[in-house]
Amino acid sequence: MQFCDVLKLRVSTRDYTEKSVPAAAVKAVLEAALYAPVGMHCYDTLHLSVITDKSVLERVRQCAVKASGDANADPLHGAPLLIVVSSSQKGDIGALNVSCLIENMLLAATDLGLGNLYVRGVITEVAKDKALVRDMKTPDGFTPVASVALGYAATPAAPREAPKNNVTKIDYVTD
């Protein structure tokens, strides 16, 4: 698929089938993350946890239930796989580096025909659950920051004809 086609096809998936993601596809998505730009080449400040364990995924969902008070909350929307990106850096730089990895994974997943979703809010709650963080194999000194839900979309999305963003202003500064 051409890069511009990937950009147009990438949408947030909020309804997944139960079909598992093949190991080769997971490997390709993870490899894409490793090509992301990271400030000052501090690659050792990032960690990825690949989660397919249904009980761990349910515990992530329960963090959303607890935080929202909504018994039906499911920030993963039934995705069978979650990749959590953690950082040992505090503040903006850690979050920015995590976001670079996330974007690469979202685009790689789209190119592979996988539904995907940037999941952030619940990860703040997950980070508060020390037992869950440990069970996600997050190293000491690292904090979960954001994640990517992956799977096969129950209803595949059609490519967008135009960008969803039609409000960001662009100014040109020329001489």
Side-chain angles (χ1 to χ4, degrees):
M1 192 179 312
Q2 294 293 316
F3 182 70
C4 288
D5 295 333
V6 172
L7 291 176
K8 292 174 183 174
L9 192 57
R10 216 279 338 140
V11 296
S12 296
T13 300
R14 290 188 174 84
D15 188 17
Y16 294 88
T17 69
E18 292 183 13
K19 181 179 176 184
S20 61
V21 178
V26 175
K27 182 179 177 186
V29 169
L30 294 171
E31 184 175 10
L34 301 180
Y35 279 95
V38 172
M40 302 300 292
H41 306 282
C42 293
Y43 304 109
D44 61 338
T45 65
L46 297 161
H47 180 267
L48 296 123
S49 298
V50 182
I51 304 165
T52 57
D53 183 310
K54 287 181 173 56
S55 66
V56 174
L57 294 173
E58 177 57 22
R59 288 167 62 197
V60 169
R61 192 184 82 74
Q62 286 302 318
C63 285
V65 168
K66 181 180 174 186
S68 69
D70 178 359
N72 297 314
D74 183 6
L76 309 183
H77 301 276
L81 188 147
L82 184 69
I83 301 172
V84 178
V85 186
S86 300
S87 177
S88 62
Q89 293 180 307
K90 304 299 179 209
D92 290 345
I93 191 65
L96 293 168
N97 286 337
V98 166
S99 293
C100 289
L101 271 67
I102 297 277
E103 178 72 5
N104 276 20
M105 289 191 284
L106 295 173
L107 295 173
T110 299
D111 189 47
L112 293 166
L114 294 170
N116 54 82
L117 179 64
Y118 191 148
V119 180
R120 167 72 181 99
V122 72
I123 301 303
T124 300
E125 295 303 314
V126 166
K128 296 174 186 176
D129 185 332
K130 299 306 175 198
L132 179 53
V133 169
R134 180 194 67 238
D135 291 346
M136 293 184 335
K137 299 184 180 178
T138 306
D140 288 339
F142 284 74
T143 302
V145 176
S147 64
V148 173
L150 292 176
Y152 290 95
T155 307
R160 289 182 270 198
E161 296 297 320
K164 189 173 187 178
N165 178 355
N166 63 359
V167 295
T168 299
K169 185 177 178 190
I170 300 171
D171 286 319
Y172 295 88
V173 180
T174 61
D175 44 319

